[in-house]
Amino acid sequence: MAGFSSSAAIILAAVLAVFIYTAELSRAPFVLGVGRQKASTPVSNPNDFHTIADTVHCEDIHYHEPSNLLFTACEGTESTRYGWFPGLGHLDDPTVALKAQGVLEVIDPRTMKAKRLEFTNFNGPFVTHGIDVIDDPEKPIGEAVYIFAVNHVPSAAYSTDKTTKEPKARSIIEVFHHVVGSHTVDHIRSVWDPLITTPNDIVAVSPTSFFVTNDHYYREGFLRTIETVFFGAKWTNIIHVEFTELTDGSFRDDDHGVKASVAMDGLHNGNGLGHGRTATEILIVSCASGRVHIGEILPAKDGKGPPTIAAKESVIFESILDNPSWFRDPYAQKGYDASGVVSASLSRGIDLGKNSQNPQGDDGVIVWMATPTGRKTAQWETKLLFEDDSTRIRTASAAVLVAIDPAQEQGKRKAWLFVTGFMSKSVVAVKVDL
């Protein structure tokens, strides 16, 4: 009887899985890029395209509107990603991670130049991934910021014994403070909790709290691949973390004064996060299923517990997606507002598995934008902003728009689109129509 019950449960689970996945079969080929030919958006004027020097393998980028600057975290060297990057399941060589000296950089959209920030109280190792940037609430807006950054350090057990059964990575979140215009960035503390397992991206709520995605349940191997391509594998989550500021020099005690809880679960391949239109709206990407979920941060019902996140609606795209950003149109007028969600990724995500450890790999880029059009019901219009066949940029995992004053473009609505990727040799900027 027990054997029959077990078999019946397996069959039922399989039937349900097939039913769920079948509903997505019509979209899956488009999302994964099956049959899609890589393409490149033509740029006729050479002044409309820039390659930002010294920005190697910058997975995420954020535009800080009050300072008119862009912030990014870069690996700084091309070799690290191929030996160690948990975001791609690369966990072979912890010694590479222990030597990694990732950097935080500031890009000025007026000069198209990047500036590396000098760390204080911090000397790595630093394997970069997602970041977020928020204003220091104790300073005038635009004067100083907090920078939150994922750091994929290896576990102590795996670093000394590669046969260990313990998780190979013990990824943490680094918190920094930067005075805008200065050349330095101060390390405030490291943050870790057992609920932070496969961190990908961050949305900071305050100087001492943030949300972070776990992008996979399985850290590596065949099952990790299955949960990526199987849209019914809704096994990832978003963690809410609160922590105390440390003033006693113990900033490396990363679990000290940390409280974490599950804010949202049941996500397929939860990946990038972004701030939305309001302080309580949050953008959530299900990467491999090509969706941006518009979420709402909800306070605890009793007013005492941690916040949670509820999805309000979803925007569907025809490719895999990565870190989202909300573009606020500063020149919006009645009848024309170009504000919307921007998300960048690969034109053929299906190729990533075979290319991810190949320094000469060929990964095309695609950048989308979705603008809300519905008044009474949620409706979104999506459009293609930029493509590249890997000639000008390889991989894209984040993109942001910086609006150009229409007076400088004969009244036309244009913006600089900054695109970067986890295996891109440089951030690029291209002028696009809004």
Side-chain angles (χ1 to χ4, degrees):
M1 189 69 164
F4 175 79
S5 298
S6 176
S7 298
I10 292 172
I11 292 171
L12 178 59
V15 170
L16 288 173
V18 170
F19 176 79
I20 294 170
Y21 189 61
T22 299
E24 295 282 71
L25 279 178
S26 61
R27 289 190 60 248
F30 295 101
V31 172
L32 297 174
V34 175
R36 179 182 287 130
Q37 299 297 314
K38 294 190 290 289
S40 291
T41 302
V43 180
S44 57
N45 187 339
N47 294 324
D48 290 349
F49 188 90
H50 297 270
T51 298
I52 313 299
D54 194 29
T55 53
V56 177
H57 292 185
C58 310
E59 197 272 348
D60 198 6
I61 191 167
H62 286 260
Y63 175 55
H64 182 243
E65 190 174 354
S67 64
N68 190 32
L69 295 171
L70 298 103
F71 290 81
T72 184
C74 307
E75 207 57 64
T77 177
E78 292 187 45
S79 60
T80 301
R81 283 280 191 264
Y82 304 105
W84 181 270
F85 187 56
L88 289 174
H90 298 172
L91 298 158
D92 298 329
D93 193 348
T95 60
V96 170
L98 293 174
K99 297 176 183 177
Q101 295 290 321
V103 294
L104 296 176
E105 302 200 27
V106 179
I107 299 173
D108 189 333
R110 294 160 294 192
T111 64
M112 297 294 176
K113 293 183 179 180
K115 176 179 71 176
R116 287 195 179 195
L117 299 178
E118 299 174 8
F119 291 117
T120 60
N121 301 326
F122 186 75
N123 58 2
F126 189 23
V127 180
T128 63
H129 202 163
I131 66 168
D132 195 20
V133 180
I134 61 170
D135 278 290
D136 181 344
E138 296 184 358
K139 302 287 186 180
I141 293 176
E143 186 174 294
V145 296
Y146 282 92
I147 304 172
F148 293 68
V150 173
N151 184 6
H152 288 301
V153 293
S155 68
Y158 185 56
S159 298
T160 56
D161 180 10
K162 295 186 72 173
T163 66
T164 181
K165 300 300 182 182
E166 296 295 316
K168 297 178 180 179
R170 189 181 182 276
S171 303
I172 56 181
I173 311 301
E174 308 290 2
V175 184
F176 301 92
H177 185 266
H178 170 66
V179 176
V180 174
S182 72
H183 293 271
T184 61
V185 59
D186 299 325
H187 184 245
I188 304 301
R189 68 162 294 177
S190 303
V191 177
W192 179 84
D193 184 88
L195 289 178
I196 303 173
T197 55
T198 56
N200 184 300
D201 201 12
I202 305 168
V203 157
V205 180
S206 76
T208 56
S209 64
F210 60 88
F211 293 99
V212 59
T213 49
N214 287 314
D215 61 20
H216 284 82
Y217 179 81
Y218 293 98
R219 297 170 185 258
E220 58 182 320
F222 179 70
L223 290 176
R224 177 187 170 98
T225 302
I226 291 298
E227 71 167 304
T228 299
V229 301
F230 173 41
F231 292 1
K234 299 181 178 181
W235 305 334
T236 58
N237 56 23
I238 300 174
I239 305 301
H240 176 259
V241 181
E242 291 183 286
F243 60 94
T244 58
E245 290 194 33
L246 301 176
T247 58
D248 58 358
S250 59
F251 53 83
R252 278 300 196 186
D253 295 335
D254 48 41
D255 60 348
H256 181 72
V258 178
K259 295 181 180 179
S261 60
V262 177
M264 186 180 190
D265 58 12
L267 288 168
H268 174 242
N269 197 199
N271 191 289
L273 292 175
H275 294 272
R277 291 161 285 192
T278 67
T280 59
E281 188 175 81
I282 184 170
L283 309 177
I284 308 155
V285 159
S286 283
C287 174
S289 53
R291 285 182 167 89
V292 174
H293 307 290
I294 312 299
E296 188 74 21
I297 301 172
L298 304 174
K301 292 181 179 180
D302 60 6
K304 299 179 181 179
T308 57
I309 298 173
K312 300 185 296 182
E313 56 182 301
S314 298
V315 188
I316 298 175
F317 296 83
E318 292 185 353
S319 75
I320 65 171
L321 301 173
D322 217 317
N323 303 326
S325 63
W326 178 264
F327 167 64
R328 186 193 70 83
D329 183 0
Y331 302 105
Q333 298 177 350
K334 185 177 181 180
Y336 187 79
D337 186 345
S339 302
V341 176
V342 178
S343 189
S345 195
L346 311 179
S347 53
R348 288 180 51 84
I350 195 170
D351 295 337
L352 182 59
K354 68 178 182 179
N355 288 342
S356 66
Q357 288 189 297
N358 180 6
Q360 284 74 47
D362 185 3
D363 297 285
V365 164
I366 192 166
V367 183
W368 299 96
M369 185 173 187
T371 52
T373 60
R375 295 182 179 180
K376 294 183 179 180
T377 59
Q379 297 177 351
W380 296 80
E381 178 182 347
T382 61
K383 68 176 181 179
L384 188 65
L385 280 180
F386 177 72
E387 286 185 284
D388 193 71
D389 63 2
S390 197
T391 301
R392 295 172 292 191
I393 178 172
R394 177 190 175 189
T395 73
S397 48
V400 294
L401 285 169
V402 178
I404 301 173
D405 188 341
Q408 299 177 12
E409 297 291 337
Q410 295 78 47
K412 297 178 181 179
R413 299 302 317 281
K414 294 180 180 287
W416 285 107
L417 174 68
F418 290 83
V419 187
T420 189
F422 48 88
M423 288 190 291
S424 60
K425 293 185 178 182
S426 300
V427 177
V428 301
V430 58
K431 189 179 290 188
V432 297
D433 296 320
L434 295 177

